[in-house]
Each structure stands twice: as C-alpha cells, then as structure tokens.
Amino acid sequence: MANDSKYAYAVARVRVLENRLLDKGQVDRMLEAQGAREALQVLAETNYASAVGELKDVHRFEDLLAGELERVYREVRRFYPEPRLLEALAAKYDVHNLKVLLKAQGLGREAGGDILYPNVGNIPLAKLEAMFAQEDFRDLPPHLRQAVEEIGAGWSQRPDPQWIDIILDRALYDHLLALADTIPFLKEFFTHQANLVNIKTFIRVKILRQDEDFLKKVLLRGGDIHQSFFTDLYHEPLEVLCDRLALSPYAQVVNEGLAEWQEKGRLTRFEKLADDFLLNFVRSHRHHPFGPQALVGYLLAVENELKLIRIIMVGKLNKLPPEEIRERLRDVYV
Amino acid sequence: MFESMTGIVLALLGAALAVGLAGIGSAIGVGLVGQSASGVVSEDPDKFGQTLLLQALPGTQGIYGLLTGFLIMQRTGVVGGNLLNLTMEQGWAVFMAAMPVAIVGLLSAIAQGRAAAAGVGLIAKRPEELGKAIIFAVMVETYAVLALLASILLLFGITF
C-alpha cells in the first residue's frame, strides 16, 4: 500500500508521456518517405517537432537523438520517486563514457565528443573527466571503481581495448543486479538481459573460434543461465544450443537468430529479436498501476524509438530500399 | 474501567468507529487518486475534470460512515438531548451494528481508490473511455453499499 502512494503520481505521469511516443503508422510513414529529408519531415509532425526545427543538417540527426535522450532522462529524474531505479537504467551510459575515456587514455588520444553521453548517465561527463585527471575514482560505484582500477593497473601489460569492454561490461551487470536487488521487476529484467547478452557472446565466440578460457572471461555473471551451461556446450556444434534452449523463453530468439546467421552470416536478426524480447517482457507488465514497471517500459520505449529513428535515418541516407530497413526495425512499444 | 462503561458508551464507540474508519479509508482512497490525477494533469491540464470525477468516487464510504454514525446518535438520543439509558447488551448490539460500515468502509475505500487511480491511468491514454474507468471503480462501491445496508438493518432491528 505504501508503494501505491509512492508510485501513483509517477505512473500516471508516465502514462501521458507514453502517448507521445511514435506509433506504428508514423514509423511506417518515415519508412516510406523519399529520402532522409522527407523522413525528418514526418518526425516534425510528432513530439520531435521542436528538435527537428533546431536541426540544421540532416546528416547531424545524431544530435537530435542525443538531445532527446538527454531531455527524457532529465524530465523523468525530476519527478521519479525511486532514484535507484533511474540509477540502474542510466548506468549503461556511465559505463559507455568510462569505456570511451579509458580507451582514449590508454591509447593516448582525445576522447571524441560525439561518442560520449555528456548528461544522460548518473555521473556528469565533466565529473568523470575530473576523476581521470586526478586519477581518483573513489566517487564511482564500487563495482565500476574496482573495474576501472583493475584496468588502470593492468593496462601496461595488456594494452587491449577489447579487454576494457570485457571488464566493464561484467562490472556493469554486477552493479545493475546489486542496484536492482530491492526491485524484483527490475532484477528480472536485467537477468533476462544478461542471459541474452551471454547467449550472443557464446554464439560470437563459437563463430570466431575463440578459446574456452576467453569464453569464461567474457560471460556475464548476472544471468540465471549458469556459466557452466555455456562452457559445457562449447565443444558441441551450435545447433545443440537451440535444442538446449528450446524450452527456455529465448527459444525463438535463438532459433531465428541462428537461422539467419547460417543463411546470411550476420547476427542482426538475433539482436533485433533480443531487443524485441526485452521490450515485450516489459510491455506485458506495463499496465501495473502502481510500481516501477511503467517507467522501465517508458524509458526502454524511448531508447527503442531512438534506435528505430537511427536505423531509418541511416538507411535513408544510404539510400537503402524500405524493405531492407524494415528487416532491421524493432517493434514499436505503444 | 469497565465499571464506568455503560451501554451508551459502547454505542457511541460504535458511532465513532463508523465515522472514523470509513472516513480514514475514504481519505486514503481519495488521496491516492489525487496523486495519480496530479501526475496526469501535470502533463495534460485538460484532463482535470475527468480525473476529478474519478477522484470523488472513493469519497462515498466516508459519507456512509457518517450516515451510520448519525443514525446511532439519533436513535440513542445524543442528537435531540434525550439520552437513552442503554443496557450493556443494547450497547454491544449498537456497537456491532456499526461494524459492517466501519470495517468494509475502511477497506473498500482504499480498494476503490486503487481502482480509480488505475482508471486515471486509463483515461490518460484513452480519454474517451472515461465511462469504463468509472464503472470499474464503481463496482467496488457495491460492497460499501451492502455494508451500509447491513448496518442500517441491524440498527433498526434493535429495540430500545
């Protein structure tokens, strides 16, 4: 009951915000548009109107997406009653920034401003940069701090950017599951996410014929499909993975994803289906009137929508036919 | 303590609980819907009227409680200045008669508040479905009305 009153305001507010998401018809119109400029015109009739108005050059549409992401997080942070939930959902942006900064530092280059998220994560970029300047990471959450220090200490022996990704991705999921500990719905969501990432990692490792030790190092600890499940399967052909996961919720994702890989040698379908799986999981819970579900759903929907726009815009700028763009498109939330 | 407790004290305790508990329930219910409604109105001010309708629904339990309490006061002569001298047995009977509306009022108002708050979410998405949102919340009202009916029948069944 205490929860009802905690979430009542936020859930109702999110319901109104959900109305402003793009619907299927608008996405279809973007897809059918002649060229990138016309696709942007469709966006100009939606909630993105003012952002499109400020855009000077079609090729800079990434600025629009970054600006929207920032705006949505800023808005939600202002009224949401459960900071841990937002912290967990925004942590991936902190980790992204950390990766970029660590790689730039390791390789002795400037971090390019375009690939960073300045104000979306929990720690503003300026503060992160200050931490790097002073080499003092005490203000980072414990899991991330440990990872950054481990990378800092080991870089001289192992100057490998991929290693930064591996360590930080693992730290991210440890951090997320610790944050989600008191919010069962969120925990379930991150567990699904970690499982899907692990399945994809396993497939990649098998395709690239990397060794078993490498697999052990890159698997995330967050999922509830145990590490030994994957290491046991390592010496089997990939098809066995489909059989073993046939009764899991991921059966369809794995079957169709692998089928496309065998046919065309790419994993884009797997990635799309994995995203759709997570979106559907959240969607099936979003009508909960009091609880974190509605907001998790909304934020995921916004990120999904930005991804959709990005895929369409990139496709349009490269003059791909609509059908080919459609193949890569995720579902729409509303 | 019990020596000084006569029938009339028990009857008034019943009246106090009927008004008090049902009133608390309504306050919680109306408050909850109010929070939801503010969430919607902060993004979409045009929905004020519709959300206000839903917010009023869990308020009825408090009125039923007051009605029962007033009936007890009137039957026992607190209102009108002609205080009856009730036996312990009569006092307990009046107390028990107040219980349906007190207990059901408290819990049903909270339940109705939840249904109405969810209804606010519904009209945030589909304003044209206000009628359905109201019906869902009003279904809960049935049980508050039944409790009121029981309390009134019991009260009028007691002879003084």
Side-chain angles (χ1 to χ4, degrees), chain B residues 125-150:
Chain B
K125 302 220 90 151
R126 298 178 186 278
E128 68 280 7
E129 304 295 4
L130 175 64
K132 289 175 189 159
I134 291 178
I135 290 171
F136 289 140
V138 165
M139 294 304 285
V140 187
E141 194 72 23
T142 317
Y143 305 97
V145 173
L146 293 181
L148 175 68
L149 181 69

Side-chain angles (χ1 to χ4, degrees), chain A residues 50-107:
Chain A
S50 63
V52 172
E54 284 166 22
L55 196 67
K56 302 245 158 32
D57 177 6
V58 193
H59 295 269
R60 300 289 299 169
F61 71 90
E62 285 285 347
D63 295 352
L64 177 152
L65 303 182
E68 277 299 301
L69 187 66
E70 217 170 88
R71 185 187 62 76
V72 167
Y73 267 92
R74 192 171 51 232
E75 192 174 342
V76 170
R77 279 201 176 99
R78 270 207 294 262
F79 71 81
Y80 210 65
E82 179 55 73
R84 280 171 80 92
L85 185 109
L86 280 171
E87 198 184 335
L89 288 170
K92 55 180 176 289
Y93 299 108
D94 292 328
V95 167
H96 175 88
N97 286 345
L98 278 173
K99 282 181 189 170
V100 175
L101 290 173
L102 277 167
K103 285 176 196 170
Q105 191 191 43
L107 301 171

Side-chain angles (χ1 to χ4, degrees), chain A residues 4-5 9 12-13 18-20, chain B residues 35-36 39 43 114 124-125:
Chain A
D4 289 5
S5 151
Y9 175 86
R13 197 159 165 176
E18 274 177 11
N19 283 342
R20 299 180 189 159
Chain B
Q35 287 186 328
S36 280
E43 291 290 341
R114 289 172 58 103
K125 302 220 90 151

Side-chain angles (χ1 to χ4, degrees), chain A residues 8-17 19-20, chain B residues 33-48 50-51 54 116-125 127:
Chain A
Y9 175 86
V11 170
R13 197 159 165 176
V14 164
R15 294 263 184 265
V16 183
L17 295 175
N19 283 342
R20 299 180 189 159
Chain B
V33 188
Q35 287 186 328
S36 280
S38 315
V40 170
V41 172
S42 63
E43 291 290 341
D44 188 355
D46 295 340
K47 298 234 163 71
F48 174 70
Q50 289 166 306
T51 49
L54 282 164
V120 169
L122 193 161
I123 61 158
K125 302 220 90 151

